[in-house]
Amino acid sequence: MLKIYNTLTRTKEPFQPRVAGKVGMYVCGMTVYDYCHIGHARVMVVFDTVARYFRYLNYELTYVRNVTDIDDKIIKRAIENNEDYEKLTERFIEAMHEDERALAVLPPDIEPRATQSIEDIISMIKTLVAKDLAYVGTNGDVFYAVNQFKDYGRLSGKNMDDLQAGERVDIDLAKRNPMDFVLWKMAKTNEPAWDSPWGFGRPGWHIECSAMSTCCLGNHFDIHGGGMDLQFPHHENEIAQSEGATGEKFVNLWMHNGFVRIDDEKMSKSLGNFFTVREVLKQYQPEIIRFFILSSHYRSPLNYSDEQLNDAGSALTRLYTALRGTIVTSNELIDQDYKNRFEQAMNDDFNTPVALAVLFDLARDLNKAKSHEPQKIDSLAATLKILASLLGILQADPEAFLKGSGNNNADNKTIEQQILARLDAKTTKDWALADKIRNDLKEQGVILEDSPDGTTSWRRE
RNA sequence: GGCUGCGUAGCAAAAUGGUUAUGCAGUGGCCUGCAAAGCCAUCUACGGCGGUUCGAUUCCGCCCGCAGCCUCCA
């Protein structure tokens, strides 16, 4: 039985789909004005893994992840770059897709964009205004009247009075209540704008997600996800908008992933302490990044450091080494014990660290089978590869992974030649020469491994 | 100040009211010409103080420390 932690109730709940056998999941995606950093990668990988697991459990999943392609930051960046804002967003959407593919993140089923959903957004705002949940402020912007929505603050555990007691900066006098938030923002000269009953402008950030999610998945759907920081105010506002407009319950289950940190501090654009995915990819194989992300539970903080990435690389190397030389053919050989243990881990709120631990136990068994019980090799290897596929890892050719890491110099052909030379030296028992060749390669980051059958395999460290 | 959450061995990271997590690193052994890889064995734990309990790292309370949200942020 799959259990998932629900932010709304702060407990793990047995997962109950709204419609038997089907799941609708919406995840807040990127605002595309810059390259994705490792924090964004975490969202993509985490929810990709969730999506893979739902499909594995035979749910008919509709996975929606939006793209925010119009907002203040985009406009600002476009002006800085002296670039058309649509060119800018196209560029970064393409870059995002490249990063996704590198990280083995399967594309969502639907990827709606704010600028392509303007009609839906306007119609939702109209409804909110008609229901008196929204009003036009003194500056012409349309605001949501937070006081009109009784459950406001429930998701994030905020109390309205406490919030108002807090020191809020820049209270916008156009609003009736400082907590009210923008639904429709009037355009300044030369800003991108769409016509609306309130004049030319653009949607506020929160409304687009309400409009796009309900359009794609219906007024009421199963799962809504995103980073922790979106809990308040973004998701709180989404609930107020959607439930306010439709009069129906919006989402059953809210999932929030933890942050990536650097030196125990949140990685974020505003702090400037972020690493982009493509930056990290220059140093590490993409699968190492994915493994690193899955090596901690999705709700825990994840500290980013070279040491951690290197460890992830070593760990993956161990798994691929176990898989080396095996041939995976059929699914029917899958080992039930390991499958059960793996599913148990994943069923417990997607506990990927435990799921990975199962894979390591499996790898040890596989290594043992290689020397003692060859008849078990095929089944164990198949089990390892199939279970790993649910996490989006171990799908590459082991040799390709083991030889492919590193940013070093020696080309494969030279390495192979050196190995042949060393094998000659070994047959004449010229250990000095054999060891010299091995050491020279080692200095270039190439590790040699002699096998009992007289051949030598190699990998990059 | 209010509200969340966290504090596990050298590092990372899980589970659990009494029994091996797991990975990397260390130590000893097997294997090897020597290595590497692999296998076997093994050393480092549960922030502090109280309480509940036959027994707590695990439940409860307090304290200390850390992070996040309360403003755009995955």
Side-chain angles (χ1 to χ4, degrees):
Chain A
M1 181 75 196
L2 175 61
K3 284 185 172 178
I4 307 178
Y5 183 89
N6 188 353
T7 306
L8 207 53
T9 57
R10 314 246 168 218
T11 51
K12 278 184 211 172
E13 299 174 354
F15 178 67
Q16 293 282 6
R18 215 176 49 82
V19 177
K22 295 190 178 184
V23 179
M25 177 164 83
Y26 183 92
V27 172
C28 287
M30 260 49 77
T31 300
V32 283
Y33 69 102
D34 208 339
Y35 294 113
C36 294
H37 64 227
I38 298 296
H40 299 121
R42 190 176 193 189
V43 182
M44 298 196 285
V45 168
V46 161
F47 286 101
D48 175 58
T49 307
V50 168
R52 284 171 190 252
Y53 196 62
F54 273 122
R55 297 216 160 92
Y56 168 76
L57 294 180
N58 284 319
Y59 283 102
E60 193 183 307
L61 171 74
T62 307
Y63 175 23
V64 182
R65 194 189 59 209
N66 77 297
V67 172
T68 298
D69 60 352
I70 180 67
D71 91 321
D72 292 0
K73 288 181 297 256
I74 291 170
I75 294 172
K76 183 165 169 256
R77 183 63 57 90
I79 292 169
E80 283 166 11
N81 290 2
N82 195 21
E83 183 179 16
D84 186 72
Y85 88 97
E86 285 170 296
K87 285 251 170 58
L88 176 89
T89 55
E90 278 309 323
R91 215 150 52 76
F92 286 114
I93 288 170
E94 186 41 47
M96 175 181 77
H97 289 323
E98 280 170 17
D99 293 342
E100 264 187 285
R101 285 191 290 270
L103 296 172
V105 169
L106 303 171
D109 298 295
I110 311 176
E111 194 174 65
R113 300 184 187 183
T115 57
Q116 292 166 1
S117 314
I118 300 292
E119 274 181 44
D120 298 321
I121 291 170
I122 289 174
S123 104
M124 190 173 245
I125 299 175
K126 273 191 195 162
T127 308
L128 291 171
V129 171
K131 287 187 165 187
D132 252 353
L133 290 163
Y135 61 93
V136 178
T138 54
N139 61 354
D141 290 355
V142 183
F143 295 100
Y144 191 101
V146 159
N147 284 339
Q148 303 284 79
F149 188 75
K150 62 178 184 313
D151 274 342
Y152 195 78
R154 195 173 145 227
L155 175 70
S156 53
K158 306 280 182 206
N159 179 308
M160 288 295 284
D161 298 331
D162 292 340
L163 286 174
Q164 288 171 38
E167 307 136 5
R168 284 183 57 83
V169 271
D170 290 345
I171 289 178
D172 189 339
L173 296 174
K175 301 178 188 176
R176 290 180 192 162
N177 179 315
M179 293 307 300
D180 292 348
F181 55 91
V182 175
L183 297 172
W184 190 259
K185 191 163 181 160
M186 299 306 284
K188 297 188 193 116
T189 332
N190 294 329
E191 281 183 348
W194 291 261
D195 198 7
S196 83
W198 313 281
F200 279 88
R202 62 179 182 273
W205 175 40
H206 314 291
I207 191 72
E208 64 172 75
C209 281
S210 281
M212 290 187 273
S213 60
T214 52
C215 275
C216 297
L217 295 169
N219 291 347
H220 178 196
F221 57 94
D222 298 291
I223 300 178
H224 191 126
M228 289 279 209
D229 47 358
L230 299 184
Q231 238 171 77
F232 188 91
H234 185 57
H235 289 161
E236 203 70 72
N237 292 351
E238 276 190 59
I239 294 173
Q241 291 162 344
S242 301
E243 298 195 354
T246 69
E248 293 175 50
K249 175 154 179 134
F250 180 39
V251 168
N252 284 350
L253 179 57
W254 289 86
M255 290 179 70
H256 292 100
N257 66 275
F259 296 125
V260 176
R261 295 191 199 167
I262 292 183
D263 296 330
D264 284 326
E265 200 172 41
K266 177 183 173 182
M267 176 187 287
S268 75
K269 295 255 165 97
S270 39
L271 289 168
N273 61 348
F274 61 90
F275 289 88
T276 62
V277 171
R278 49 198 56 212
E279 212 172 342
V280 178
L281 281 175
K282 286 181 193 156
Q283 213 183 333
Y284 298 97
Q285 298 202 67
E287 197 170 343
I288 293 175
I289 301 176
R290 182 159 179 128
F291 183 96
F292 162 68
I293 290 170
L294 295 174
S295 66
S296 85
H297 185 83
Y298 75 90
R299 283 189 284 117
S300 304
L302 177 60
N303 219 47
Y304 178 93
S305 70
D306 280 338
E307 194 191 355
Q308 291 258 64
L309 269 291
N310 289 331
D311 277 1
S314 308
L316 253 188
T317 297
R318 178 171 163 78
L319 293 176
Y320 267 121
T321 302
L323 229 33
R324 179 156 61 172
T326 64
I327 299 158
V328 174
T329 45
S330 161
N331 305 15
E332 292 162 46
L333 298 164
I334 195 158
D335 183 293
Q336 287 301 316
D337 284 343
Y338 281 112
K339 178 172 177 267
N340 289 342
R341 284 180 59 198
F342 186 92
E343 287 177 4
Q344 231 172 358
M346 291 299 281
N347 282 342
D348 183 15
D349 196 25
F350 307 101
N351 196 333
T352 54
V354 172
L356 286 172
V358 174
L359 299 189
F360 282 105
D361 286 347
L362 189 41
R364 173 175 296 114
D365 245 7
L366 176 54
N367 285 332
K368 280 197 270 191
K370 282 177 179 171
S371 42
H372 300 300
E373 299 174 282
Q375 76 282 1
K376 285 173 69 181
I377 292 177
D378 288 352
S379 162
L380 290 171
T383 308
L384 178 53
K385 192 161 178 182
I386 289 164
L387 294 180
S389 75
L390 298 176
L391 302 177
I393 57 170
L394 296 188
Q395 300 308 296
D397 171 41
E399 291 295 340
F401 177 87
L402 294 169
K403 291 182 164 77
S405 58
N407 36 4
N408 42 54
N409 20 42
D411 67 282
N412 295 11
K413 203 169 176 185
T414 316
I415 293 167
E416 307 281 359
Q417 281 168 354
Q418 293 289 90
I419 288 174
L420 288 178
R422 180 168 167 274
L423 285 174
D424 283 345
K426 281 180 68 179
T427 41
T428 59
K429 297 203 190 292
D430 185 350
W431 306 127
L433 177 60
D435 290 354
K436 183 185 183 319
I437 293 171
R438 187 170 62 196
N439 288 336
D440 288 350
L441 286 171
K442 171 95 166 77
E443 276 177 25
Q444 297 173 74
V446 175
I447 310 282
L448 299 193
E449 293 168 3
D450 294 336
S451 17
D453 64 9
T455 61
T456 297
S457 51
W458 64 276
R459 63 187 165 88
R460 289 199 166 86
E461 65 181 351

